[in-house]
Amino acid sequence: MKFIAGVDIGNSTTEVCVGEREEGGRLNFLASASISTTGTKGTVANVHGIKAALKQAMGKIGRNVEDISLVRLNEAAPVIGDTAMETLTETIITDSSMIGHNPSTPAGAGQAVGELLVLENLYRAVPGKPYIVVISRNHSYEEAAEQINRAAEKFDIKGLILQADEAVLVENRLNRKIPIIDEVSRIDRVPDGERAAIEVALAGQTIRMLSNPYGIATLLELDAEETRTVTPIAKSLIGKRSAVVIKTPGGDVKEHVLPAGEIYLDASNSTKVNLDEGAERIMKAVADAGTIRDISGQANTNVGNMLARIKKGMGEISGEQHADIRITDLLAVDTLAPVLISGALAGETCLEKAVGIAAMVKTQQLPMREIAGKLKEELGTEVVVAGVEAVMASLGALTTPGTRLPLAILDMGGGSTDAAVVYEDGHVVMTHQAGAGELVSMLIETELGLNDRHMAEQIKRYPLAKVESLFHMRMENGQMTFVEDSIDPRFYGRVVLLAENGLIRIEKDIPMEKIAQVRRDAKKKVFATNAFRALKKVAPEHDLKNISNVVLVGGSAEDFEIPEMLMEEFAKYRIVCGRGNIRGSEGPRNAVATGLVLSYMGD
């Protein structure tokens, strides 16, 4: 009796399959395990995670790791995916030209135009002249409301700007309702005496005048040239519930296009493409380039710095020189990123054009040899680097009930999307494509402005719901779900994720519909794009119509919507597509590890 373990080191998880070879030559699959990968894929730091996964798998059959006769590792580690994001434009506003933010508690509704006047200077007010009063945190809401009520008897007070989060408290004490904006942190920089326009939308709506350049022109009486210069302000205020625009003589507003730079493709058909031409043009250049030897970027530009950072990071991991590290594939995705506006007064952000890039980094060395040596030393067991990842995944996928040769597989992991076609004679054609689950998480995190990668991962993984009472939720598909036991009050009125172990609250106040749309768009941009270009590379005559069956494997194939998304995309080609079920029990996971054990029998 001999125990053989197949180990698949992925970007996100390390998976193990343990098989037993009986004396008659029969192979029995006994157990499997999966844990988070320790360290970066393809480095010695992976050894700790491999040992933990082996221990977990052997524990399921009441055996020790020392009982394993042979450990077989996949050979995909020299190719590692990385991601980066760069914005191509930014809005720059100087000399206090604008405040425009989205506090959760504005009060009142409507538009107002007037001269800015600090509360302490109310004595300077002139009857018949419209004013917008600026109130710092030094004044309590009772004091502020009392002074405004007195002043409103003699002067025309059109609206208020507060530093504290007290708009509703002040409004409740006013004799006449006016639009009020609060939570303006740097209120000391609001220019006293300048003309300003203020707008607060009704609950559930967004502003209309100040998010329109002609609306700003109407309220502040701007000429054609001034209207053109406030366009970036209007753009940055789209979707806000409240805003203020201040007209200052020295104010400078401009939309600055950053030096995006050119991407250089050293390939069979070497070419170059500018980053600001967009993702579609970049991906066409990558497709037309043929076999890519290396990808680099123009020096001292966004894309040049981005690709240099990726190579430098890989060099630090592998210990190799910069010249020995090559980027062999990339996936570019158009997106929008919230960027802090230069010169703004309340930490405002604006959605700016950006490009997300996932890159495949290949080194000259084979770090798996080093991992195998370290593992052999620590376990005292024979360890071999046994097979290429895509080939092993294909062997594992063939254990899915209902499959046959020829068979195409899509292995969708964290850093890369691999495709392979296995023919009846055993011939395998394969490809590695940059971009998978990690790029999706980055796009979700960026577009929603989360600044929390873990939460982005959770949003990618689970469906959404809105808790509308302590006994029912509205799902993202519109379905109403009622519960027998009351929901924890801390979830009331919040958007939540429906995880296996209970609800996860999303702390940021973002509409459920927007989160769902961003999530779906990110998955489609990455996985649909990559699935098509990967399968085209491996398909006979590079024509998808020559592929009849596709099995989806890897961590991302477990996703609750990606497989269905790809099934719809492939339907027009009459391709049978679905999640794999490795060994009839593992679902789409464990394909490579299973293939490593199977390939031992072939060897």
Side-chain angles (χ1 to χ4, degrees):
M1 188 165 58
K2 186 174 184 179
F3 293 109
I4 303 101
V7 178
D8 172 27
I9 307 166
N11 289 74
S12 304
T13 59
T14 295
E15 297 178 353
V16 165
C17 172
V18 175
E20 173 192 22
R21 183 182 181 182
E22 298 176 346
E23 291 185 8
R26 179 181 173 81
L27 176 68
N28 294 320
F29 292 106
L30 302 177
S32 59
S34 175
I35 69 160
S36 297
T37 297
T38 53
T40 301
K41 176 181 176 180
T43 63
V44 177
N46 299 157
V47 170
H48 179 73
I50 294 171
K51 289 167 62 180
L54 289 171
K55 183 178 180 181
Q56 185 183 110
M58 294 301 285
K60 291 180 179 179
I61 57 174
R63 294 280 190 160
N64 298 318
V65 175
E66 292 75 19
D67 297 329
I68 298 174
S69 304
L70 174 65
V71 176
R72 295 168 65 84
L73 305 178
N74 63 303
E75 201 177 84
V79 182
I80 296 179
D82 203 349
T83 55
M85 178 77 72
E86 290 293 343
T87 51
L88 302 183
T89 56
E90 67 174 344
T91 300
I92 297 176
I93 299 168
T94 60
D95 293 341
S96 305
S97 294
M98 160 260 193
I99 307 167
H101 68 140
N102 204 25
S104 56
T105 55
Q111 302 109 27
V113 180
E115 181 181 306
L116 292 169
L117 185 64
V118 177
L119 185 65
E120 290 85 349
N121 297 337
L122 271 176
Y123 64 90
R124 291 195 339 222
V126 177
K129 189 174 185 179
Y131 291 101
I132 293 175
V133 180
V134 180
I135 305 173
S136 72
R137 204 185 300 273
N138 298 329
H139 303 276
S140 68
Y141 59 87
E142 293 104 332
E143 178 190 352
E146 184 182 348
Q147 290 197 46
I148 294 300
N149 280 331
R150 285 204 306 267
E153 294 175 1
K154 298 182 290 182
F155 309 116
D156 188 7
I157 309 297
K158 293 290 189 180
L160 306 179
I161 300 174
L162 310 181
Q163 185 176 29
D165 178 15
E166 296 176 345
V168 175
L169 294 172
V170 171
E171 188 202 33
N172 288 342
R173 289 160 176 79
L174 293 182
N175 298 329
R176 185 170 63 87
K177 303 306 179 186
I178 54 178
I180 306 173
I181 287 183
D182 59 2
E183 299 179 51
V184 179
S185 55
R186 290 149 68 183
I187 204 162
D188 55 300
R189 292 180 55 186
V190 175
D192 193 25
E194 299 295 349
R195 185 175 172 82
I198 183 173
E199 181 176 9
V200 176
L202 292 167
Q205 299 184 24
T206 59
I207 59 172
R208 301 179 63 182
M209 290 293 283
L210 295 186
S211 59
N212 171 11
Y214 300 115
I216 297 175
T218 301
L219 295 176
L220 295 181
E221 300 174 356
L222 305 182
D223 60 29
E225 182 59 28
E226 289 173 322
T227 302
R228 187 185 65 80
T229 63
V230 300
T231 298
I233 289 179
K235 184 187 76 171
S236 70
L237 296 178
I238 292 172
K240 303 286 191 276
R241 191 185 163 195
S242 61
V244 178
V245 175
I246 303 168
K247 184 179 181 181
T248 57
D252 179 32
V253 183
K254 61 183 177 180
E255 188 172 54
H256 179 54
V257 179
L258 302 173
E262 294 180 331
I263 298 173
Y264 304 125
L265 302 172
D266 177 12
S268 307
N269 304 307
S270 295
T271 186
K272 63 182 181 181
V273 59
N274 200 297
L275 188 69
D276 61 15
E277 291 185 48
E280 186 176 344
R281 179 69 187 84
I282 294 170
M283 294 314 298
K284 185 178 187 307
V286 170
D288 294 343
T291 302
I292 296 174
R293 292 181 289 271
D294 192 19
I295 301 174
S296 58
Q298 185 179 354
N300 300 317
T301 63
N302 270 359
V303 71
N305 296 338
M306 179 197 303
L307 297 177
R309 280 199 306 271
I310 290 173
K311 286 188 175 183
K312 181 182 177 184
M314 191 64 230
E316 291 172 352
I317 291 168
S318 67
E320 293 192 45
Q321 297 299 314
H322 186 276
D324 295 329
I325 298 169
R326 295 173 292 121
I327 294 177
T328 55
D329 182 54
L330 63 78
L331 173 66
V333 178
D334 286 327
T335 185
L336 295 172
V339 179
L340 193 66
I341 297 173
S342 305
L345 302 184
E348 301 87 8
T349 61
C350 178
L351 285 175
E352 302 287 1
K353 180 183 176 185
V355 172
I357 282 185
M360 272 299 212
V361 188
K362 181 173 281 188
T363 65
Q364 296 298 317
Q365 296 178 8
L366 290 177
M368 291 306 296
R369 307 284 183 245
E370 192 176 350
I371 295 172
K374 181 73 172 174
L375 196 60
K376 183 175 182 178
E377 177 187 324
E378 295 193 11
L379 294 181
T381 301
E382 185 182 357
V383 180
V384 298
V385 180
V388 178
E389 188 167 6
V391 178
M392 296 301 105
S394 301
L395 287 175
L398 280 169
T399 66
T400 295
T403 58
R404 67 177 182 181
L405 296 176
L407 179 71
I409 66 112
L410 270 175
D411 185 358
M412 303 181 295
S416 65
T417 300
D418 303 332
V421 173
V422 189
Y423 294 92
E424 289 156 316
D425 62 359
H427 176 57
V428 179
V429 180
M430 60 188 173
T431 185
H432 299 285
Q433 306 283 180
E438 290 176 6
L439 180 58
V440 172
S441 298
M442 185 182 73
L443 292 175
I444 292 171
E445 179 186 20
T446 302
E447 292 196 27
L448 294 178
L450 297 174
N451 297 316
D452 183 344
R453 178 57 63 88
H454 178 68
M455 179 52 70
E457 284 280 348
Q458 303 282 61
I459 289 172
K460 176 182 73 176
R461 192 172 298 168
Y462 301 117
L464 296 155
K466 176 78 176 286
V467 179
E468 297 188 335
S469 79
L470 295 184
F471 291 93
H472 86 279
M473 296 181 288
R474 176 170 55 90
M475 304 296 155
E476 63 176 273
N477 62 2
Q479 176 186 337
M480 303 298 291
T481 298
F482 293 84
V483 297
E484 291 186 10
D485 300 322
S486 66
I487 300 170
D488 190 323
R490 66 194 177 93
F491 295 121
Y492 177 70
R494 306 294 300 192
V495 177
V496 296
L497 298 168
L498 305 174
E500 300 99 337
N501 300 320
L503 303 180
I504 299 173
R505 189 171 89 162
I506 295 177
E507 298 300 332
K508 276 216 163 196
D509 189 15
I510 309 172
M512 177 171 67
E513 293 75 15
K514 180 178 180 181
I515 298 173
Q517 188 63 49
V518 167
R519 184 197 69 218
R520 283 193 289 265
D521 287 349
K523 289 177 180 178
K524 191 166 186 177
K525 286 176 185 176
V526 174
F527 286 108
T529 301
N530 250 0
F532 275 102
R533 72 188 190 109
L535 287 176
K536 276 185 179 178
K537 280 194 175 183
V538 298
E541 301 175 9
H542 304 294
D543 188 346
L544 287 180
K545 292 178 181 177
N546 294 327
I547 292 177
S548 58
N549 298 278
V550 176
V551 175
L552 306 177
V553 299
S556 296
E558 288 187 310
D559 187 87
F560 69 97
E561 60 188 350
I562 291 173
E564 287 76 10
M565 192 180 289
L566 293 180
M567 286 171 66
E568 290 177 7
E569 294 290 329
F570 287 138
K572 65 189 77 167
Y573 296 96
R574 299 182 180 276
I575 294 174
V576 178
C577 172
R579 290 181 182 87
N581 188 15
I582 310 305
R583 309 200 306 274
S585 61
E586 300 295 316
R589 288 279 195 181
N590 215 252
V592 174
T594 298
L596 285 163
V597 175
L598 278 172
S599 66
Y600 167 76
M601 299 299 291
D603 292 346

